Amino acid sequence: SRIYVGNLSWNCDSEELAKVLQQAGILAHVEEVVCDRETGRSRGFGYVTLTSIDFAQVAVQKLDGHIVQGRALKASYSQPYKKAGKEGPVEVAASHTKVFIGNLPWGVDDGSLEEFFRAHGKVVEVKIVYDRDTGRSRGFGFVTLSSPKEADEAVKSLDGADCDGRRLRVKLADTSP
């Protein structure tokens, strides 16, 4: 019953996100809007807890693509994982479908990255990370595929692949420090 809400404006805090939920007719507890430790500014995403999986499903449907302050929200179920500890690296849950892509060419946008991954499965979400001050790509992003099998196949096929003259670094998200 925990969902992720992304693509929030940089000035959106937990109180503002709660207002957005209320306007959408969603009764939920806003856990937090994640902020930068040094600046205290929003990092553009947060987590919301609902009382049931059914309510979470409705919330994702209502919020995904909902326009707030000129930005289309991204809403999805929060991906569970175990944190790294003495026993070894991060162990991602079996439902893990998010892939990290590094060394992206500067001209790649969400649409071209989606097309690049489409041959490896159904693309659920694409997110290139941009510098909030300059608006330029930071050279990395994430693609969420519809199944763990598709994500694994994409990693195997695309890690080291050439994209506009650059060798991509592709791996499952949250698997490296």
Side-chain angles (χ1 to χ4, degrees), residues 65-119:
H66 184 76
I67 306 295
V68 175
Q69 297 180 359
R71 300 175 70 118
L73 297 181
K74 298 283 186 180
S76 62
Y77 300 102
S78 181
Q79 295 290 328
Y81 64 92
K82 294 180 183 177
K83 298 216 182 227
K86 293 180 183 176
E87 61 282 348
V90 173
E91 179 188 323
V92 180
S95 64
H96 190 72
T97 59
K98 193 173 199 176
V99 176
F100 167 85
I101 306 95
N103 203 31
L104 283 172
W106 305 118
V108 170
D109 62 10
D110 288 355
S112 58
L113 188 58
E114 178 177 353
E115 190 170 320
F116 196 74
F117 272 79
R118 202 175 290 148

Side-chain angles (χ1 to χ4, degrees), residues 7 11 31 45 53-54 60 73 83-84 91 106 117 148:
N7 204 29
N11 60 2
E31 288 180 38
F45 65 95
I53 292 173
D54 292 335
V60 167
L73 297 181
K83 298 216 182 227
E91 179 188 323
W106 305 118
F117 272 79

